Amino acid sequence: MQSILDRLAREDTGLPHPTDISASRGRTLALLNNLRWNEDLPRVAEARTILHAGMPSRLVVPENDTGNDAILHVHGGGWAFCSPATHEGAARRLAIACRAPVLTVDYRLAPEHPFPCGLEDCLTAWEARAPDRRWSLAGDSAGANLCLGLMLRLLAIDREMPASALLFYGVYGADFSTESYVEQAAGPGLTQAGMRAYWNLYALPEDRADPFVVPLRAPDADLARLPPLYLNAAELDPLRSDTELLVARLNAIGRADRFDLWPGVVHGFMQMGNALPEAREAFERAGEAFREVTT
């Protein structure tokens, strides 16, 4: 991890934070910054761009596809940045680990499209899924937030739930005084100030009382009705406590969802699959959890 952080310090010297420039240029910067993690991509049987529910999307089918399941993948990026292109490597590793096709959708982004736009797009994408597979959800960071918000929304409107959900280092609260927000306020990588900026792009302060925005505000009765979850967190991440608090609530109501805490790594480490062994192992563990539920 330290060697990668040293590399980033060299390569990114002088670059602004994406939230400090216009949204369009910030997205280009995010795309360019993620090119390095999308080199030497794992081989798959098929990878193509499609239009799903009116959204440009990326479909990845692994060579080891069992033919039974599929995953709707919601990419991270602070609700304002990144795309199916930035998460191509992640989608491929997820597909291979889970032995199922992965569909990553290009949902609308803040600040032009703040809450609830991205969540509405995820709902639209979910309802447009093909009926020939059993579907699950997966998402990282803000994408994990949207996945959990989507499941709470599905409960509220009495729609079919996913078979399972894989949630990687997600945003589930908006409390900047948690242990990890204090410990990792200055990073490395994601900072407390960066998360404040992302929140300000996505949701007004008054919206943050809504469980669809801040899932840690969901009542126990709704958390109890969620499908089996797999959760992980990075030790050196301001968001670590969000997952730990969610896991504590799930355990308190009698659930036994699998949780992995990855020591010594930073937020977004699973993006670094071509350079970081822990990233590749994290996908393998997620795949194991997925197959435990779906087989």
Side-chain angles (χ1 to χ4, degrees), residues 36-50:
R36 56 195 159 207
W37 309 131
N38 288 289
E39 298 173 345
D40 302 319
L41 291 172
R43 177 178 168 178
V44 293
E46 182 180 7
R48 60 190 175 96
T49 300
I50 66 171

Side-chain angles (χ1 to χ4, degrees), residues 27-295:
R27 288 175 196 134
T28 300
L29 180 62
L31 176 62
L32 295 174
N33 279 340
N34 278 276
L35 289 177
R36 56 195 159 207
W37 309 131
N38 288 289
E39 298 173 345
D40 302 319
L41 291 172
R43 177 178 168 178
V44 293
E46 182 180 7
R48 60 190 175 96
T49 300
I50 66 171
L51 200 65
H52 177 76
M55 289 173 267
S57 304
R58 188 73 168 164
L59 177 65
V60 172
V61 182
E63 294 179 336
N64 59 355
D65 177 21
T66 64
N68 300 318
D69 292 279
I71 297 171
L72 179 64
H73 180 220
V74 186
H75 68 78
W79 303 284
F81 305 101
C82 295
S83 67
T86 62
H87 282 61
E88 175 80 11
R92 290 185 181 217
R93 291 182 176 88
L94 180 65
I96 294 167
C98 294
R99 304 174 188 174
V102 168
L103 177 66
T104 310
V105 295
D106 190 34
Y107 59 90
R108 287 174 292 173
L109 300 174
E112 301 93 333
H113 303 285
F115 173 81
C117 296
L119 185 60
E120 289 175 346
D121 284 353
C122 291
L123 176 59
T124 299
W126 174 254
E127 294 191 324
R129 68 196 185 281
D132 58 337
R133 298 259 183 165
R134 177 177 51 187
W135 285 79
S136 293
L137 294 174
D140 66 299
S141 191
N145 169 281
L146 289 168
C147 285
L148 191 45
L150 172 60
M151 288 186 283
L152 294 170
R153 177 73 175 133
L154 291 170
L155 287 174
I157 60 177
D158 196 25
R159 301 290 174 82
E160 183 178 352
M161 296 290 284
S164 65
L166 310 173
L167 307 178
F168 310 135
Y169 37 81
V171 190
Y172 309 122
D175 178 2
F176 302 108
S177 66
T178 63
E179 181 179 71
S180 62
Y181 263 120
V182 173
E183 290 177 353
Q184 305 301 142
L190 182 65
T191 65
Q192 184 191 105
M195 274 309 305
R196 287 181 183 272
Y198 291 135
W199 269 114
N200 289 338
L201 293 176
Y202 178 59
L204 296 171
E206 54 264 34
D207 288 330
R208 300 176 200 175
D210 189 332
F212 299 157
V213 179
V214 179
L216 277 172
R217 291 186 173 272
D220 287 349
D222 286 347
L223 295 180
R225 295 170 61 200
L226 294 173
L229 307 178
Y230 170 78
L231 304 105
N232 74 15
E235 180 188 17
L236 307 179
D237 183 355
L239 296 177
R240 186 193 73 235
S241 294
D242 279 23
T243 299
E244 291 172 334
L245 289 167
L246 177 59
V247 169
R249 287 198 59 196
L250 294 169
N251 290 342
I253 58 176
R255 292 180 58 112
D257 300 283
R258 182 170 168 180
F259 167 54
D260 287 325
L261 175 62
W262 287 90
V265 296
V266 302
H267 183 79
F269 76 99
M270 291 173 73
Q271 279 291 94
M272 307 168 185
N274 62 356
L276 187 67
E278 288 87 348
R280 297 189 291 272
E281 186 178 350
F283 281 111
E284 288 302 315
R285 287 200 197 175
E288 290 170 5
F290 178 81
R291 294 194 301 275
E292 286 175 3
V293 171
T294 58
T295 57

